Amino acid sequence: MLTIGSYQVLRLLRDKVLLVWTLAFPIIMSLIFMAAFSALDDSYEADPIEMGVVQDDAYEAAEGFDAFIAALSSEQDGTHLINTHRYATAHEAETAAKNGDTVGYIEVEDGTPVLRVLPNDSAANTVPVLRAALDSYEQTRAQYAALAAQGAGPEQIAAMQVQHVSTQRAQITESPSSPTVRYYFALLAFACGMGMHISMLAVQEVVAGSSPLGARRTLAGIPRWKVLAGTLGAAWLGILVCLLAAFWFIRLVVGVDFGAHTGMCHLAIGVSSLLSCTAGAALGTVRGMRTGVVSGITCLLSLFTGLYGTAAQELADTVQNSLPLLAQLNPLWQSAHCFFSLLYYDSLAPFAHSCAVMGAMACLFLSIALVRMRRMSHEHL
Amino acid sequence: MADEAVSVEGLVKRYGEMVAVDNLSLRIESGEIFGLLGPNGSGKTTTINCVLQLLSYDRGEVAVFGRPMTATSYELKRRIGVVPQDVAVFDELTVAENIDAFCALYVPDRRRRRALVAEAIDFVDLGGFTKFRPRKLSGGLLRRLNIACGIAHQPELIILDEPTVAVDPQSRNAILDGIRGLNERGATVIYTSHYMEEVEQLCTRIMIMDAGRQLAIGTNDELKSMIGTGERIRVEIIGTEPLGEDVVEQLRRLGHVRTVDYEIPELHVECTSGAHNLSDVLGVLSGRGVAYGRVTSEPPTLNDVFLEITGRALRDEAA
């Protein structure tokens, strides 16, 4: 049995096509995701830009504006939006902008700050933020002016300033949520689905009716269960190693947060790989089953895990909300849900539920596979 | 019973309405090289698969080495080696690994297996290719690997299903010599092939079957004696004039002559067994002043036997 298993593992290691689909593909996809999501994150970053400031009489007269500009130039408190270049007149500031020394300039006209910028791609992210900051300054200044006009004292105005916080970020899950982890969890589930290839091909080579190799191995002089156990054990090991490699790559290289339950993640991968192995084994007993069919099934089921983008995620959410039982019947959904449960739920109950469902599915598939593999004859020669 | 390697009694195998094996009975003695001959679809492979329990059958009894053969007769299976018609080896494993992987299905002990694998490699003369993967091997080498995988565990009964298909003459001779060697070491061999000359050279007993039935069984000579033709005479006519119809008619009237065919420049005469067939034919030709050149006289071949017993009509490949 050990010899059968070890040769099965050796064959898997040498089967480049199988390794590409089950090991390399998820890793390559995770790198593509990483590149895509990192560009997405970059688009939300407002980097400091070179900005002229016209420091004339109007500037000096604007209440608190100098402090405001200083805050925008400060590198310490996370509001660093501009590197300030001060000019005496608007004409000088405009000339500097045209020369490329700055991307534009800020001047105060009639007590209101005005932002003038030249078209520049590098400033595309920062300019809207800067404009919003200037609007905020103007609103606050007008608000304080109105309060002062109504007779509010400096202490009351200072108290308003302290309370000037409109929204606050709150975290209600153990780990911070990120919209991108869903793709990686779906990708792991996809890798699990592709793992079915390994067990399907392995089983096809022990079932008499599936291939000449299957017929030959059916004539073995050792008990049938040993051949099956050695073959399926090796297939499971192969899928498990591929999934673990993908998991650790996504976690360490891509930097995806899987939460604090690393051990449980391994358990999830163990159960997922078992499910993949048994499902592939059941498919392998179907006469004439092709790898393309298995790939097709995996791709279809992955649609309902949200692997293919926001539209797929909306579809998956709709199915999950409207037909929860149908969603739960999807083995890949269960696999992805395991990781979600570990990351976002305080209790381990949802994780245990997903594991139990996958375990039950694995038992069902294994039973089907064993009943069909036990048959040692084939009627279509 | 103990000397019987294989015993089949009243075997019937049906596919729906079609009867693939029809009440077949067969006994193969230990130490024989038993040839199984038949046209495509005659039931040879089905019979073998029933014996090996790869196929369930509707009726009949199969025994190997005197004991009933079942799908779980692992002890018996360890004594059987099968070389299937299709090359069935692992593409990802080397020659040596392939032989070891199949040998492991019969011999769990690694140390013993190492010796058996080495012996099998020597036997099929693949010593220079042990590290090669199957796709790097030629057709003949691949067939030899297929054989090595089937015989490495040194079975007492070896079943070879058309092992020389698509093999060049040199490799074929090597394979046939190997099979003789296996037999000399004490193995009983069941051999199916479409190549009559192979079966004729190799087999001690031959069964011809068609439509799932046994048509004839016996030694090479016994089978030849079952058909009417005892001698084939060929005469090259070298005269300037073609042979006249009257001469052909005179030859047909000879006592032992069964058929006479004349296609310029060769005359073919089939005779029943007789001591003076050749001199009678040549006597007629000399008497009529016919000049002749090369003359050959040969006994019937197994091919003649096969065609005469199974008929000369073409068979459907897919049958």
Side-chain angles (χ1 to χ4, degrees):
Chain A
M1 195 166 80
L2 277 177
T3 309
I4 292 168
S6 59
Y7 273 122
Q8 191 71 32
V9 170
L10 186 62
R11 292 179 54 222
L12 172 65
L13 290 173
R14 289 178 183 170
D15 190 333
K16 291 184 181 65
V17 175
L18 215 52
L19 278 182
V20 163
W21 281 109
T22 51
L23 180 63
F25 186 74
I27 287 174
I28 292 165
M29 283 302 292
S30 65
L31 284 172
I32 292 170
F33 282 170
M34 184 171 76
F37 296 147
S38 116
L40 199 64
D41 290 342
D42 287 349
S43 69
Y44 296 128
E45 289 287 327
D47 296 323
I49 54 174
E50 304 302 313
M51 182 57 64
V53 174
V54 181
Q55 201 165 355
D56 54 8
D57 292 342
Y59 176 90
E60 299 296 345
E63 292 283 346
F65 193 64
D66 188 49
F68 175 71
I69 291 294
L72 292 181
S73 310
S74 168
E75 293 181 12
Q76 290 176 351
D77 55 3
T79 57
H80 187 200
L81 286 178
I82 57 172
N83 295 321
T84 309
H85 299 260
R86 293 179 187 276
Y87 301 98
T89 64
H91 179 70
E92 286 177 22
E94 189 178 339
T95 305
K98 284 178 179 172
N99 289 340
D101 299 337
T102 61
V103 296
Y105 61 96
I106 300 167
E107 66 174 328
V108 179
E109 284 183 1
D110 302 328
T112 304
V114 178
L115 175 65
R116 300 185 197 284
V117 290
L118 296 173
N120 189 317
D121 286 344
S122 64
N125 290 344
T126 309
V127 166
V129 180
L130 181 59
R131 186 165 280 133
L134 290 171
D135 287 348
S136 172
Y137 164 80
E138 177 56 20
Q139 277 179 357
T140 309
R141 192 192 64 78
Q143 204 174 12
Y144 291 168
L147 286 169
Q150 286 172 11
E155 289 172 1
Q156 286 174 302
I157 292 173
M160 289 273 309
Q161 201 172 10
V162 171
Q163 292 164 7
H164 195 253
V165 177
S166 52
T167 56
Q168 193 168 17
R169 192 184 180 103
Q171 185 176 313
I172 57 168
T173 55
E174 270 189 26
S175 306
S177 66
S178 163
T180 59
V181 295
R182 185 168 187 178
Y183 289 96
Y184 293 104
F185 293 167
L187 183 61
L188 271 178
F190 178 81
C192 171
M194 294 307 273
M196 289 192 294
H197 283 113
I198 294 177
S199 52
M200 186 199 79
L201 292 173
V203 163
Q204 281 185 336
E205 289 170 355
V206 288
V207 176
S210 294
S211 65
L213 265 172
R216 192 164 202 173
R217 293 171 90 190
T218 304
L219 298 168
I222 57 173
R224 179 78 169 152
W225 70 266
K226 287 189 177 180
V227 179
L228 297 181
T231 306
L232 281 182
W236 184 19
L237 183 67
I239 299 169
L240 182 65
V241 168
C242 288
L243 283 179
L244 281 175
F247 167 73
W248 280 106
F249 185 86
I250 290 171
R251 183 176 174 156
L252 295 179
V253 179
V254 182
V256 173
D257 183 9
F258 281 83
H261 306 287
T262 307
M264 294 295 180
C265 284
H266 289 149
L267 179 62
I269 289 170
V271 179
S272 297
S273 58
L274 179 66
L275 174 58
S276 170
C277 177
T278 54
L283 287 171
T285 61
V286 177
R287 189 175 163 74
M289 179 58 69
R290 303 256 178 251
T291 52
V293 176
V294 176
S295 302
I297 291 170
T298 302
C299 291
L300 180 65
L301 294 179
S302 289
L303 177 65
F304 300 101
T305 62
L307 179 65
Y308 308 128
T310 48
Q313 288 172 359
E314 282 170 19
L315 174 67
D317 292 341
T318 306
V319 172
Q320 188 182 333
N321 294 329
S322 315
L323 301 160
L325 190 63
L326 187 64
Q328 293 198 23
L329 284 174
N330 180 351
L332 301 194
W333 183 90
Q334 290 289 0
S335 178
H337 195 255
C338 263
F339 298 109
F340 268 112
S341 307
L342 288 173
L343 184 62
Y344 291 139
Y345 287 82
D346 296 331
S347 161
L348 287 175
F351 167 72
H353 178 262
S354 278
C355 282
V357 172
M358 286 201 291
M361 284 180 177
C363 287
L364 176 69
F365 287 132
L366 183 64
S367 304
I368 293 169
L370 286 178
V371 166
R372 292 178 63 86
M373 282 192 290
R374 261 191 81 249
R375 290 181 58 200
M376 294 165 72
S377 62
H378 54 126
E379 295 301 311
H380 304 278
L381 290 170
Chain B
M1 286 286 282
D3 288 329
E4 273 178 7
V6 177
S7 162
V8 176
E9 195 63 50
L11 184 69
V12 177
K13 172 66 190 171
R14 291 192 186 91
Y15 292 108
E17 292 296 305
M18 196 193 85
V19 182
V21 181
D22 189 3
N23 200 28
L24 184 81
S25 294
L26 169 69
R27 275 177 180 72
I28 300 171
E29 303 298 322
S30 289
E32 276 192 298
I33 302 182
F34 188 84
L36 206 48
L37 277 179
N40 291 324
S42 60
K44 304 184 298 290
T45 305
T46 305
T47 302
I48 285 174
N49 284 325
C50 287
V51 169
L52 294 171
Q53 306 297 311
L54 275 174
L55 274 177
S56 58
Y57 38 89
D58 299 280
R59 213 177 64 215
E61 288 173 10
V62 175
V64 175
F65 298 119
R67 291 161 60 188
M69 180 73 179
T70 66
T72 54
S73 302
Y74 298 115
E75 200 188 322
L76 285 180
K77 284 184 172 182
R78 279 196 284 275
R79 299 168 71 183
I80 302 172
V82 180
V83 178
Q85 189 173 338
D86 299 311
V87 174
V89 294
F90 298 114
D91 290 336
E92 303 83 9
L93 300 184
T94 64
V95 164
E97 288 165 349
N98 256 299
I99 299 171
D100 186 51
F102 283 104
C103 194
L105 296 174
Y106 303 90
V107 183
D109 181 51
R110 190 182 293 263
R111 198 178 302 165
R112 188 173 156 234
R113 214 167 56 229
R114 201 173 295 147
L116 291 173
V117 170
E119 207 169 322
I121 288 171
D122 281 346
F123 185 77
V124 293
D125 199 16
L126 282 174
F129 305 93
T130 52
K131 302 279 184 203
F132 281 53
R133 303 260 188 100
R135 64 173 162 272
K136 299 275 183 195
L137 300 179
S138 66
L141 294 175
L142 208 51
R143 285 273 162 195
R144 277 146 69 177
L145 171 62
N146 200 35
I147 291 172
C149 290
I151 56 110
H153 59 291
Q154 297 192 344
E156 295 162 57
L157 171 64
I158 302 169
I159 298 173
L160 300 115
D161 194 1
E162 303 195 30
T164 56
V165 169
V167 169
D168 60 74
Q170 288 84 352
S171 295
R172 182 180 297 179
N173 287 338
I175 289 170
L176 296 181
D177 287 343
I179 293 167
R180 280 191 204 95
L182 288 168
N183 181 247
E184 281 161 14
R185 286 196 324 205
T188 306
V189 176
I190 300 177
Y191 188 87
T192 77
S193 176
H194 280 121
Y195 300 114
M196 302 297 157
E197 70 280 14
E198 279 181 11
V199 177
E200 199 169 358
Q201 285 172 31
L202 198 65
C203 298
T204 48
R205 266 198 325 142
I206 300 156
M207 183 175 89
I208 297 175
M209 61 185 298
D210 197 10
R213 274 175 290 191
Q214 175 187 306
L215 298 184
I217 190 166
T219 62
N220 199 5
D221 290 338
E222 285 168 350
L223 287 178
K224 286 174 185 173
S225 69
M226 288 178 195
I227 62 169
T229 305
E231 188 176 1
R232 289 169 157 275
I233 297 169
R234 289 181 186 182
V235 183
E236 184 191 14
I237 307 298
I238 57 173
T240 49
E241 292 294 315
L243 206 60
E245 186 56 36
D246 53 332
V247 180
V248 173
E249 198 51 44
Q250 189 178 345
L251 287 169
R252 282 194 182 116
R253 283 200 297 272
L254 287 173
H256 293 287
V257 170
R258 297 183 71 212
T259 63
V260 179
D261 287 312
Y262 174 58
E263 278 183 36
I264 299 171
E266 208 157 71
L267 178 71
H268 297 255
V269 183
E270 275 185 12
C271 308
T272 56
S273 296
H276 309 292
N277 291 334
L278 182 60
S279 59
D280 289 349
V281 169
L282 295 181
V284 168
L285 294 176
S286 301
R288 300 295 294 263
V290 176
Y292 54 86
R294 192 162 47 88
V295 176
T296 60
S297 166
E298 54 191 33
T301 61
L302 193 58
N303 194 47
D304 299 318
V305 177
F306 182 78
L307 291 175
E308 194 157 327
I309 289 178
T310 61
R312 291 175 188 269
L314 287 174
R315 301 307 176 106
D316 182 8
E317 275 291 330

